[in-house]
Amino acid sequence: QKEVEQNSGPLSVPEGAIASLNCTYSDRGSQSFFWYRQYSGKSPELIMSIYSNGDKEDGRFTAQLNKASQYVSLLIRDSQPSDSATYLCAVRPRGFQGAQKLVFGQGTRLTINP
Amino acid sequence: DAGVTQSPTHLIKTRGQQVTLRCSPKSGHDTVSWYQQALGQGPQFIFQYYEEEERQRGNFPDRFSGHQFPNYSSELNVNALLLGDSALYLCASRLGGQGANEAFFGQGTRLTVV
């Protein structure tokens, strides 16, 4: 079992619709969860972080965390063509003090169709 | 406020050679991590530096080594390059210590081994 799993896609969504991206993780003790957006040929850009169960909203983005189900999701409302990118789910597993290791899923490629 | 900067942006090396990649963290950050991202995959953790010491290491051979300087900048060295070392190398910085601090990536160094 991979530590962090995402559907690789591609996921195709019409402009203006809601895009839903999902991620599961294996380390039940994980405490920190992140979503990064990566445009082709560029580096990952942090768009959301979430640390406790429930929803966290930032503009058109909502991150959802369910630790009991070991599940993280990202919703993008009113999808725009500029949202077309690969979305990486990252988890910081439990570890010793100061540990920074992030474990990434393989990414989901999202395409927004005008 | 300068973000994370990496140099060079692109590099071509011959199999068996050695390479050094450089990273300057975001202002105020003291912890640097390095990741390797192969095409179509999520980033893989190489190691983390804090207070000039390697604090955590991923599943990479000893050919991969690093260093952190007193100004928090960091280098990644790879010896005896293999064709399989061709990848995007990413540096991420954060504020160290305990806590769920977010990590920010530099633009990456694209290494091609021929």
Side-chain angles (χ1 to χ4, degrees), chain A:
Chain A
Q1 181 187 9
K2 291 184 179 179
E3 291 183 80
V4 179
E5 293 204 59
Q6 299 179 251
N7 288 327
S8 59
L11 176 65
S12 186
V13 172
E15 183 175 357
I18 296 175
S20 177
L21 304 161
N22 304 315
C23 172
T24 58
Y25 60 94
S26 61
D27 184 349
R28 187 171 289 278
S30 298
Q31 297 296 319
S32 308
F33 307 86
F34 307 90
W35 284 98
Y36 287 84
R37 177 177 63 200
Q38 187 173 29
Y39 293 114
S40 180
K42 302 296 185 182
S43 65
E45 174 193 8
L46 180 67
I47 54 172
M48 289 290 288
S49 59
I50 187 166
Y51 308 113
S52 53
N53 280 328
D55 295 0
K56 179 182 178 183
E57 185 175 319
D58 183 0
R60 296 186 296 111
F61 298 97
T62 298
Q64 299 175 316
L65 174 61
N66 184 327
K67 289 185 178 180
S69 300
Q70 296 174 242
Y71 177 89
V72 192
S73 66
L74 179 70
L75 301 177
I76 306 175
R77 290 181 300 281
D78 188 23
S79 296
Q80 303 297 310
S82 59
D83 295 326
S84 298
T86 295
Y87 288 80
L88 296 162
C89 172
V91 175
R92 181 170 291 139
R94 70 185 130 187
F96 56 86
Q97 180 176 349
Q100 184 189 351
K101 172 183 176 179
L102 289 175
V103 180
F104 285 84
Q106 72 270 37
T108 298
R109 188 155 55 94
L110 173 66
T111 300
I112 307 300
N113 300 308

